[in-house]
Amino acid sequence: MGLKVMANAKPKMPRLDGPTLDFQLLKRAYDLSRSLHGNYLDVYVPGMFSINGHRGKYHAVSITGRHCALNCDHCGGSLLNTMPDLSTPADLVEYGGKIKSLGHTGLLVSGGCDEYGRLPWGKFAGAVTSLKKLGLVITAHTGMVGRSTAELLKNCGIDQALVDVVGSDETLEQVYHAHYGVHGIESTLAALCSVGIETVPHIVFGLHYGNQLGEDRALKIIARYNNIKKYVIVVLTPNRETPMMGIAAPAPELVANFIATARLELPLCKAGLGCARPRGRYSKRLEFLAIHAGVNSMALYSDEALAEAKKLGLPIRYNSTCCSLDPMV
């Protein structure tokens, strides 16, 4: 079922305080964001979610079905269960044709990784090219790629590459069960940026079992690439029946401090709060703080977030795609 918010519910506004919240840091970040990126908030309904009559028109699909060799501790492949299984090129093209006929915008092409963090792009290159010929917007969780695969994706015409930037070898080993290290992520970013694919890094705050480890290094890695124009911050959301089940997500105040730090470290990039974060009261608190920390966009927003943005004089722009994309006016 889609996410639904009661339109008539009266928002109970959170407070801008807390023992771990750096109010001055948030204020600097907010002012910088507004001066460089405008006085508005883009909000997104991705996938097939629905919020107050705004419905998503951008589908996430898996080209590996339910299979992922890495079996990360926070996911265990469970996220793949939420996506249509399009594990053959013909399935992918057929699905693209169906959503195009419905007037939907595009696809986030995702899937599980092999032991080296790679997805089978060679097998699906022709299908992706066909999707672009249909006029669909295509973003991709690329996984680890080298120069030749980056060139292949560029030639297919993908519109964006989404890459998780992890700044800790320890986290990659223990959580991702991956042996390519931070160097592999740096090489992937370099390859994608060098061929001119728009690349949107994602940082999972608290990925190391709810603790902050490597996030600051991730910011420094992203800062090396002048052609990166946007980044997205999400929050560890441990899934049931995984080794992280029961681990507490990091406090919203700590996440907000990091969002503000990221704004100051990457001033020329737009900042987004992505859809992957604990829901309910936690999310409402974080959304409120993220607005004050200067985010320019937000996926799966609450009434409280909209009310606070309006209170601050930020016009709302509604979008029905993934939050990595610019508004489609």
Side-chain angles (χ1 to χ4, degrees):
M1 295 180 64
L3 177 70
K4 295 183 179 179
V5 179
M6 297 299 296
N8 296 323
K10 184 177 180 180
K12 182 179 179 181
M13 301 311 300
R15 293 174 56 179
L16 190 61
D17 60 8
T20 58
L21 190 68
D22 189 335
F23 177 81
Q24 293 302 322
L25 176 65
L26 265 64
K27 181 66 165 60
R28 289 170 56 205
Y30 180 89
D31 290 344
L32 181 63
S33 191
R34 302 282 75 83
S35 66
L36 293 177
H37 300 290
N39 290 306
Y40 62 85
L41 180 70
D42 282 313
V43 295
Y44 289 79
V45 185
M48 290 306 296
F49 292 103
S50 178
I51 303 178
N52 290 347
H54 297 278
R55 181 174 295 277
K57 297 181 179 180
Y58 203 87
H59 304 237
V61 301
S62 171
I63 58 173
T64 66
R66 307 294 177 249
H67 177 71
C68 179
L70 292 180
N71 196 32
C72 303
D73 277 6
H74 65 303
C75 170
S78 61
L79 292 177
L80 299 176
N81 296 330
T82 66
M83 305 177 193
D85 178 352
L86 306 180
S87 49
T88 72
D91 288 340
L92 181 59
V93 173
E94 180 182 4
Y95 190 87
K98 288 180 179 179
I99 69 162
K100 178 65 176 179
S101 68
L102 295 172
H104 293 183
T105 308
L107 291 172
L108 168 57
V109 183
S110 187
C113 297
D114 67 14
E115 61 181 312
Y116 302 105
R118 303 173 304 193
L119 276 76
W121 293 118
K123 175 182 176 182
F124 284 88
V128 173
T129 301
S130 296
L131 295 176
K132 288 303 303 174
K133 290 180 179 178
L134 290 174
L136 293 170
V137 177
I138 303 297
T139 51
H141 281 142
T142 63
M144 298 297 99
V145 302
R147 175 69 185 234
S148 60
T149 301
E151 290 177 343
L152 176 69
L153 293 171
K154 176 69 173 179
N155 291 335
C156 291
I158 70 165
D159 296 277
Q160 276 187 347
L162 311 184
V163 179
D164 286 347
V165 179
V166 180
S168 165
D169 289 327
E170 184 179 353
T171 301
L172 287 168
E173 285 276 354
Q174 295 184 17
V175 178
Y176 277 23
H177 310 145
H179 307 298
Y180 46 76
V182 176
H183 172 73
I185 294 173
E186 293 178 300
S187 297
T188 292
L189 289 176
L192 292 167
C193 290
S194 69
V195 301
I197 295 177
E198 182 181 359
T199 302
V200 182
H202 285 52
I203 300 175
V204 185
F205 189 88
L207 180 60
H208 196 87
Y209 305 95
N211 300 307
Q212 185 173 357
L213 181 65
E215 285 87 343
D216 290 335
R217 183 181 177 187
L219 293 179
K220 295 185 185 306
I221 291 170
I222 295 169
R224 297 173 191 162
Y225 299 94
N226 293 330
N227 49 351
I228 289 178
K229 303 301 182 185
K230 185 175 186 178
Y231 60 90
V232 175
I233 295 174
V234 296
V235 183
L236 173 72
T237 310
N239 288 318
R240 296 178 180 178
E241 300 180 0
T242 69
M244 284 202 197
M245 183 175 65
I247 287 179
E253 292 79 9
L254 294 179
V255 183
N257 288 343
F258 179 73
I259 291 173
T261 298
R263 160 53 63 233
L264 300 179
E265 291 280 339
L266 304 168
L268 299 181
C269 297
K270 290 185 177 180
L273 177 64
C275 58
R277 59 184 187 270
R279 310 310 308 173
R281 185 178 301 176
Y282 180 102
S283 185
K284 291 178 181 180
R285 172 68 172 162
L286 178 56
E287 292 163 23
F288 175 87
L289 295 175
I291 291 171
H292 282 274
V295 294
N296 308 104
S297 63
M298 179 182 298
L300 298 183
Y301 48 90
S302 64
D303 284 345
E304 287 84 350
L306 298 183
E308 187 63 12
K310 292 174 182 176
K311 176 182 174 182
L312 294 172
L314 302 178
I316 307 297
R317 302 194 298 191
Y318 294 90
N319 302 277
S320 58
T321 66
C322 283
C323 68
S324 63
L325 292 165
D326 287 335
M328 296 181 181
V329 180

